[in-house]
Each structure stands twice: as structure tokens, then as C-alpha cells.
Amino acid sequence: MTEADWPLFEVFIRSRSGLEHKHVGSLHAADARMAIEHARDVYTRRQEGVSMWVVRSADIIASDPEEADSLFEPARDKVYRHPTFYAIPDEVKNL
Amino acid sequence: MYTQGLDTHGKEPLPTAAEGEARAARFQGRIDAEEKIEPKDWMPEAYRQTLIRQISQHAHSEIVGMLPEGNWITRAPTLKRKAVLIAKVQDEGGHGMYLYSAAETLGIPRAQMLEQLLSGAAKYSSIFNYPTLTWADIGAIGWLVDGAAIMNQIPLCRCSYGPYARAMVRICKEESFHQRQGFEIMLTLSQGSHAQRAMAQDALNRWWWPSLMMFGPSDADSMHTGQSMRWKIKRFSNDELRQRFIDVTVPQAHFLGLTIPDDELHWDEATQHYRAGPIDWSEFYAVLKGNGPCNRERLEARRRAHEAGRWVREAAAAHAQRSQREPAPQAAGVGGVAGAAA
């Protein structure tokens, strides 16, 4: 492995406990530990996080935006999954 | 996703002319509807190349920009100023990293961008080829250079390319401290001794025009503006942003009791703008072509740093390889990821 081959890692940060980890960006590192240390220096210089994940970008499996239409199509005609689909008389409360 | 590994561009069959046109029209439609373009989305090759050029130049500027300021870290006048300057220079390095990441999503490897910088093939902001001769230059850079950068960068937070826009949001949040600490240095000097006031004025004299040039050539001569505006990479023209910068900065100079080094500068009551004298564009193009006061020195410093750091990078790579062969008991202590979904 030469320096040019340092793998790319995606960085996820939990900004405070109670919130989920959120993708913030990516960086190169020789290994996981260096990725965590670099992530601290690059993405949390102002206390942006209480916890970090790093994952090799190559290990992420992503959906294809070209197929987004067909992939998400099944949910499109199911408006009855939303509460606003149901007409309830105004005088009925707490529903 | 932030990776060139997921980028399938180039393996796809080339679209026929008709298909290509339909795609390009659909793409422009998304842009016009203010949708963001993400790395795996189809995009015209020219859009991709424009962004690679712009984002990598922007990243290089952040990295080279560490040099003129780094020059004063050891000579900062107080411990507070030194701590602030170190934090600022570290931020510039961080900004370079955000931007290289964003450029990589377009399919260019980081090593290639570095190579372009070190070989002198890539451009970076002309401003960093000027020297920092006195401590007041550190104030002038924060106030003027970062001020001009912010003026340029705030509209980029709404750029049509998602990863670039997101990087810019982060950068703009951090730049505000840079500008304010610079103004504070100028304020302190301008309220100081006669020699300190003179030093502040001298810094303004040298940084004013190069700061105006940071916005790029005037609209009439700008090669890239029209198409970049249609693609919503750019939101305002060079001259518009430059005017905005002049309008906000002149009163700040008045507050400091300093004189803008432009005899023709005047307030235009009719348009409610400050009107500046003509810019000497021959200086801009000379600096761009490599003949500024510090072009050679800056690139030399970058190359030296790159070479001096080589053994560290090689050692880290060797260590990573060995750890893969003989994993330590609690290697990769990123525990807690599993089962932590959401």
C-alpha cells in the first residue's frame, strides 16, 4: 500500500447523545484508528460531536439514483398510510 | 455518497445524441427547479469538469493559504494571538480537506489533485502569492482576504452540487471567526502608537487591491461566468460580489481611521454605492501566470512539506499493512456501531 492507496472513509458524527449519527464527509487514512483521529481533527474542531463512526467507503452499498423511480414507486400510490388521508368530523376530538 | 468508488461514470454506454439532449434538458430542469445534484446522479461532462476545476482550485487555495499566515505563528505578539492564529491556520487546512473530499465525489482521486498542485499545473487564489511582511498583514488578511472569501463563498452554500454546497456551509460558519479576529487585530493597531497605526495603514495599502482582484476578472472578461450561472454553480457575477465587498468594507476602514488606497474612490449618491477606481488587471494576470512576489516560494514550500512528510505516510501505510496481517486484540475500536442503527 502506497500513500496514494490510503483508503477513503466516510465519517458519521453524533452531535450529542439522543441524536443519530449523521454523515458529515469523508477522508483518507491508512487504517481505522487513523481515520478516527483524522475525523476528530477535520470534523470536530468546535465540539461538533460526542461520538464518531468511520466506515470504508468501499463497504457502503448504495442504491442507484437512475433506478430511484422504480425503487420508490411502491410507496407512491399509498396515501392511506398518512393520517391526513382520513376525513374525521371537526367535532370529534383527540383523534 | 462521498466516494469515487461508487461512481459508475465512464462505464456507461455513451448516450446517443438524442438521448444525450433529453438527459441534458432533464438535468437543466432539475437545476432550474433548485434541486441539488448528488455524486451518483447523471451530469453533463462539462458540469463535472467545471466543478472539479473550481473545487480543486478552491481546495488548493486553502492549503497554500496556510503559508502566508503560518509565517507569523512563531512571531505572534501575544500568546492569545498565537493560539488564535494556530487555530485559524488549522481551520484553513480543514477547509482544504472538506473541499478535496467534495471534489473526489466527482471522480478525481486526491493524489491526482495534489500532483496538479505540486507540479504547478493547478491554479490557486492569486492572493496567496503576496508576502506577509508585518504583523499587521495578519490582521489585513483576516479582515480583507477572509472578508472577500466570505462574500464569494456565502452564495456557494446554495450551489447546485450538493457536496460542494455542504462543504461551503461548514466553511462559512468557520470563516466568520477568521474575519473578526483579523478586524480586531487592525482595530488594536489602529488605536495604538503612531508606528502601529502606520503599520496598519501600510498593510491596508498592500492588501486592498489584491483583495479586490480575488473576485476574479471583470464580468466582460470572465470566461466561465455565464455557463456557471446557468448551472447555478455561481449565483452572482464577479463584479456584483466585488461591489458588495467594497460597499461593506469602506465604512469599516473609516471606522478604523484608515485610508483606502484609491484616489478615485467615492460615494455615489444616485446608486447608493461606493465607486472604486480601475483595477490594474495586468498585475492580476502576471500573478496568475506565476510572476507574483511569492509564487515560486509557495510551491517550493508545498513541495518541501510533501517530501518531508513522505516517511510519515510510508510508515503509517506499513503499520496499517502489518496490523492487517497480525490484528491487535482490540484493533479498530469503533465498537458500538453494530446494533446502533438509528
Side-chain angles (χ1 to χ4, degrees):
Chain A
M1 181 166 65
T2 68
E3 54 180 284
D5 301 319
W6 280 10
L8 192 63
F9 288 83
E10 302 299 323
V11 181
F12 299 80
I13 290 179
R14 187 201 293 287
S15 55
R16 57 187 165 84
S17 58
L19 296 179
E20 62 276 67
H21 286 75
K22 203 173 151 195
H23 184 243
V24 295
S26 62
L27 47 77
H28 288 270
D31 57 24
R33 186 172 158 192
M34 188 198 273
I36 285 283
E37 283 168 4
H38 283 184
R40 178 201 60 191
D41 292 343
V42 177
Y43 292 105
T44 67
R45 288 191 304 282
R46 288 172 178 77
Q47 299 183 289
E48 285 93 339
V50 295
S51 162
M52 294 185 294
W53 297 346
V54 294
V55 58
R56 279 178 189 248
S57 310
D59 288 340
I60 289 179
I61 297 145
S63 66
D64 181 352
E66 299 276 311
E67 289 167 9
D69 275 353
S70 57
L71 187 64
F72 298 108
E73 190 276 331
R76 199 167 296 151
D77 58 355
K78 296 178 181 61
V79 282
Y80 47 82
R81 284 180 169 162
H82 297 278
T84 46
F85 178 74
Y86 302 91
I88 306 290
D90 281 350
E91 50 272 41
V92 182
K93 300 299 177 199
N94 300 318
L95 206 63
Chain B
M1 202 42 62
Y2 276 59
T3 166
Q4 76 270 38
L6 298 168
D7 173 36
T8 56
H9 193 85
K11 282 181 237 152
E12 299 164 43
L14 286 171
T16 66
E19 259 174 1
E21 254 170 60
R23 274 187 145 178
R26 220 166 35 237
F27 177 82
Q28 190 61 48
R30 293 186 63 195
I31 301 262
D32 293 342
E34 296 288 337
E35 268 184 57
K36 294 291 181 205
I37 308 301
E38 294 295 342
K40 287 183 66 195
D41 295 347
W42 182 86
M43 62 187 84
E45 195 50 32
Y47 178 82
R48 183 185 301 275
Q49 292 309 325
T50 300
L51 280 168
I52 288 178
R53 179 179 53 78
Q54 180 170 335
I55 302 173
S56 64
Q57 282 179 13
H58 195 161
H60 299 329
S61 303
E62 301 283 356
I63 298 301
V64 177
M66 294 160 78
L67 296 171
E69 294 185 292
N71 181 32
W72 279 90
I73 288 177
T74 56
R75 293 174 287 164
T78 67
L79 190 57
K80 181 190 105 174
R81 294 289 187 203
K82 186 199 281 253
V84 168
L85 187 55
I86 290 172
K88 180 178 189 299
V89 171
Q90 193 189 10
D91 271 356
E92 308 299 0
H95 296 177
M97 295 302 116
Y98 308 152
L99 289 162
Y100 283 131
S101 284
E104 270 186 290
T105 64
L106 292 157
I108 181 169
R110 186 163 318 199
Q112 191 180 335
M113 289 186 271
L114 267 183
E115 159 64 29
Q116 289 172 349
L117 173 65
L118 296 177
S119 73
K123 299 262 184 286
Y124 55 85
S125 183
S126 57
I127 195 86
F128 300 117
N129 290 316
Y130 291 87
T132 42
L133 304 177
T134 71
W135 171 251
D137 288 11
I138 300 306
I141 287 182
W143 172 38
L144 300 173
V145 175
D146 290 300
I150 290 171
M151 205 55 93
N152 248 324
Q153 290 173 347
I154 284 179
L156 288 174
C157 296
R158 295 189 294 127
C159 161
S160 61
Y161 188 57
Y164 192 26
R166 291 191 287 274
M168 292 318 304
V169 168
R170 192 176 278 278
I171 288 174
C172 284
K173 269 189 206 159
E174 300 182 351
E175 288 285 357
S176 176
F177 130 64
H178 297 180
Q179 190 187 18
R180 291 172 69 118
Q181 66 85 36
F183 188 80
E184 197 201 60
I185 290 174
M186 295 301 274
L187 189 60
T188 307
L189 289 172
S190 67
Q191 292 169 346
S193 66
H194 177 75
Q196 287 170 323
R197 280 200 304 279
M199 191 193 277
Q201 181 63 54
D202 167 64
L204 173 58
N205 290 350
R206 284 181 291 108
W207 290 94
W208 174 253
W209 290 105
S211 298
L212 294 191
M213 293 176 201
M214 279 177 71
F215 295 92
S218 81
D219 295 348
D221 303 319
S222 177
M223 296 192 297
H224 304 295
T225 291
Q227 185 58 62
S228 282
M229 301 261 265
R230 274 191 294 285
W231 279 332
K232 302 200 176 172
I233 294 172
K234 240 174 135 154
R235 299 275 177 169
F236 301 98
S237 75
N238 296 352
D239 287 338
E240 279 176 283
L241 291 169
R242 186 168 15 245
Q243 184 60 52
R244 225 180 268 187
F245 174 74
I246 293 169
D247 285 338
V248 303
T249 309
V250 171
Q252 293 166 358
H254 290 163
F255 184 87
L256 294 173
L258 300 177
T259 309
I260 303 270
D262 176 357
D263 295 338
E264 295 180 42
L265 183 75
H266 64 278
W267 174 251
D268 180 10
E269 193 58 42
T271 58
Q272 296 285 300
H273 287 296
Y274 284 97
R275 292 293 168 209
I279 292 173
D280 176 9
W281 289 111
S282 62
E283 176 182 327
F284 175 75
Y285 287 111
V287 176
L288 214 58
K289 283 206 178 74
N291 299 317
C294 298
N295 294 56
R296 274 168 279 272
E297 185 185 329
R298 298 290 183 238
L299 269 192
E300 250 335 288
R302 279 315 313 154
R303 288 189 194 121
R304 239 184 0 256
H306 190 70
E307 282 313 310
R310 184 180 296 282
W311 71 270
V312 179
R313 297 190 298 273
E314 285 172 357
H319 177 74
Q321 259 174 344
R322 196 184 62 186
S323 310
Q324 262 175 359
R325 282 199 307 272
E326 331 154 5
Q330 74 280 38
V334 201
V337 171

